[in-house]
Amino acid sequence: MGSLGALLLPGCGKKVPPTYGNILRMGDALTYNAHRTLLPGQVLAPEYTAADISSFPATGTTNPGDPSLRTYSKEYEAFQQTAFTHWKLPIEGKVKRPGAFTLADLKALPSRTQITRHLCEEGWSAIAEWTGVPLSVVLQQVGVLPTARFVNFYAYDGYMESIDMLDAMHPQTILAYVMNGRELPLQHGAPVRLRVERQVGYKSVKYLQRIVVSDEFVDMGDTGWSWYVGI
Ligand SMILES: Nc1nc2c(c(=O)[nH]1)N[C@H]1C(S)=C(S)[C@@H](COP(=O)(O)O)O[C@H]1N2
Ligand SMILES: [Mo]
């Protein structure tokens, strides 16, 4: 505990996420540097075989380019009409080399394929195979600053979520562009969605628009769900 205590010090006095009853919220106060030393101890979520792949409902937004939606995005609709060739994912905030990645850029980076169980807070679960680039690889490209503690994800339907560095650097946290061997379908978050396998489904942001690395917790408001729900 001595060394953990020392790692926690840099976060003291900083704004941390609302706890909503959680007690083991150590990760919130840790910096990128501290997390790197803790990484080897990370536990993987269970992975399954192709035979376990199930039907997979689409929930929440299923097409941000639908003009009848309150959250309609004209920009998204345009990207969709050109098969996402003009889509770019900016990664900014507390990074040394902010930049934007095209779908081709992301596909050119090392990939990971995993068959995992998605657990929705509404009580259903489903198994699928996901392929994408580990978020850790992308973060390495842009060079996360040592003081960074959170990664914030913004989507074309106005959806947003954040995770701490421990989840961001986790080997199964990927930016997925393939589902069950095919291009990520529209209803499941095309062209790229986040997969955070050790947390409940709502952290797996679909329709990624922008990623922002931050030192401070960004309060995205009370969604009615806990900020952290490990599984
Ligand atoms: N952009 C965006 N991401 C989102 C959502 C959403 O409505 N919009 N819903 C979340 C919830 S609650 C779940 S359970 C999963 C659903 O993913 P699916 O539609 O592929 O099943 O996406 C999550 N990510
Ligand atoms: Mo969900």
Side-chain angles (χ1 to χ4, degrees), residues 7-26:
L7 288 172
L8 278 166
L9 279 177
C12 284
K14 289 201 173 169
K15 196 176 176 197
V16 296
T19 56
Y20 301 121
N22 276 289
I23 46 167
L24 290 171
R25 299 295 305 277
M26 284 196 315

Side-chain angles (χ1 to χ4, degrees), residues 40-82:
Q42 293 239 64
V43 174
L44 294 184
E47 292 193 15
Y48 299 83
T49 67
D52 300 314
I53 292 173
S54 69
S55 67
F56 206 113
T59 54
T61 304
T62 51
N63 176 10
D66 175 352
S68 72
L69 289 183
R70 182 182 52 82
T71 57
Y72 164 63
S73 164
K74 200 179 172 135
E75 199 185 1
Y76 182 88
E77 190 185 28
F79 286 139
Q80 196 191 340
Q81 281 163 359
T82 52

Side-chain angles (χ1 to χ4, degrees), residues 59 120-121 201-202:
T59 54
C120 172
E121 69 295 340
Y202 56 77

Side-chain angles (χ1 to χ4, degrees), residues 171-185:
Q172 289 169 319
T173 299
I174 65 172
L175 302 181
Y177 45 75
V178 166
M179 179 186 187
N180 297 332
R182 289 156 181 251
E183 253 172 45
L184 185 62

Side-chain angles (χ1 to χ4, degrees), residues 59-60 118-124 159 200-203 225:
T59 54
H118 178 97
L119 190 71
C120 172
E121 69 295 340
E122 285 170 356
W124 56 270
Y159 195 93
V200 169
Y202 56 77
K203 289 287 186 189
W225 302 322

Side-chain angles (χ1 to χ4, degrees), residues 80-100:
Q80 196 191 340
Q81 281 163 359
T82 52
F84 299 105
T85 45
H86 301 293
W87 175 91
K88 269 189 185 179
L89 182 63
I91 305 188
E92 46 207 40
K94 298 293 177 176
V95 298
K96 292 182 200 115
R97 299 172 294 276

